[in-house]
Amino acid sequence: MNNREISLMWVSLAARDAWHNTFADLRKVMIVTTLSGVHSGQWQSRSLNLYGNSWMVFLSMVKNYNVSYTSQVVHHRSAPARMCHSVYITHNDFAAVNGPTASRPAAEITFWDIAQGSSVSLFKTETLIEYVQTPMSLLLWEDIGLSLFADIPSGLSCNECCNIVESHLNWMDACGYGSDAETLREILSWPVEWSSFHGIEELRTPLFKLQATNWAKIYHPKHTVQIMGDGYPAEGAVGLNFPYQQKAFKSVSSSASFKNGVLHNACSK
């Protein structure tokens, strides 16, 4: 049994108010579109890791689809609400001939291991990797329930895993969840940073900072992976350091005070 204590800190009340319910809705949509995709033959089988209440949501939905599933507890978190169920879902027509995929390996592989094994990773220093924008950044959102990967990929360049994300987004579009797919695409466009130091993992996004005890490797010194992005949420934090953006200051000639001054001078002539 591995305990993984997690804390999440929003950058502002505005960020929490705008995105807390959105993340909850996305978790449900990703479950229902996975089930409908296997039910309709879009995929013969799929695997998911389901945390906390997502497992109960899955149980309430699965009976409505022509699918079978097996599940196992991958590891326990420090609180019962953080229990993780690794679920293998298959269409009933294939359930008798297809067994479940291999269970997720012991939690010894970190995001650093995945990133350094990727062909286009850029080592800025020995302990800092910069990586281009990628659908695989969805891996980093697993602790809040936004991940489609039950097994750890070989690297951030894994074509099979990238295709899983792309095909799932296209399926969401096809079955009436286009706005949710666009929201997920937006999230995948954001810059995010993962780091590990002295047994604490940290995920920094424009909206929140998540810290968790690291049940994998203990890094000394700090190891960091930065995923680049070309999008940014309106509620995202302002800051000088990655992944935060600096405030966009208007030029002097675009400011309201400058325009009012010009108007005042023009009227006084």
Side-chain angles (χ1 to χ4, degrees), residues 12-256:
S12 66
L13 289 176
R16 186 194 66 182
D17 292 344
W19 287 92
H20 176 78
N21 289 335
T22 299
F23 290 146
D25 292 340
L26 275 176
R27 286 192 288 269
K28 294 178 182 178
V29 168
M30 292 169 78
I31 292 172
V32 73
T33 49
T34 299
L35 289 170
S36 65
V38 176
H39 169 88
S40 66
Q42 177 73 13
W43 309 289
Q44 287 188 9
S45 63
R46 286 290 300 274
S47 297
L48 290 176
N49 277 350
L50 301 174
Y51 293 87
N53 187 58
S54 292
W55 171 242
M56 302 307 297
V57 172
F58 172 84
L59 292 178
S60 69
M61 292 179 175
V62 68
K63 56 190 176 185
N64 299 319
Y65 297 90
N66 184 31
V67 300
S68 298
Y69 71 91
T70 59
S71 68
Q72 61 177 326
V73 177
V74 178
H75 54 76
H76 295 275
R77 300 291 173 100
S78 56
R82 295 304 302 167
M83 185 178 293
C84 176
H85 292 264
S86 182
V87 183
Y88 176 76
I89 311 162
T90 184
H91 193 282
N92 280 337
D93 291 347
F94 302 98
V97 294
N98 288 346
T101 57
S103 60
R104 190 167 190 162
E108 299 175 351
I109 299 176
T110 68
F111 195 71
W112 174 265
D113 298 315
I114 297 170
Q116 72 171 346
S118 302
S119 58
V120 296
S121 289
L122 174 63
F123 281 80
K124 305 290 285 187
T125 70
E126 290 185 353
T127 57
L128 172 60
I129 291 176
E130 184 180 285
Y131 197 87
V132 294
Q133 184 176 318
T134 170
M136 295 297 290
S137 64
L138 192 61
L139 274 169
L140 293 172
W141 298 80
E142 184 179 69
D143 274 319
I144 63 168
L146 297 184
S147 180
L148 296 170
F149 311 111
D151 298 306
I152 296 175
S154 57
L156 295 178
S157 306
C158 176
N159 288 330
E160 181 181 354
C161 293
C162 288
N163 289 338
I164 286 176
V165 179
E166 294 296 340
S167 68
H168 200 103
L169 287 167
N170 292 335
W171 177 246
M172 289 169 69
D173 287 328
C175 56
Y177 293 97
S179 61
D180 297 286
E182 284 306 306
T183 300
L184 195 55
R185 290 188 179 99
E186 178 188 349
I187 291 171
L188 293 174
S189 76
W190 297 344
V192 291
E193 178 184 276
W194 173 94
S195 64
S196 180
F197 185 43
H198 287 304
I200 299 295
E201 282 186 73
E202 185 172 276
L203 171 65
R204 288 180 181 267
T205 79
L207 297 176
F208 61 81
K209 178 175 70 174
L210 184 148
Q211 289 184 327
T213 52
N214 189 346
W215 34 248
K217 298 177 182 177
I218 307 299
Y219 288 106
H220 310 285
K222 182 178 181 179
H223 284 56
T224 303
V225 181
Q226 296 177 342
I227 306 295
M228 302 295 106
D230 57 11
Y232 207 77
E235 302 80 11
V238 174
L240 298 177
N241 299 323
F242 190 90
Y244 308 119
Q245 288 187 349
Q246 296 186 44
K247 183 177 181 179
F249 292 98
K250 294 181 179 180
S251 63
V252 173
S253 59
S254 299
S255 67

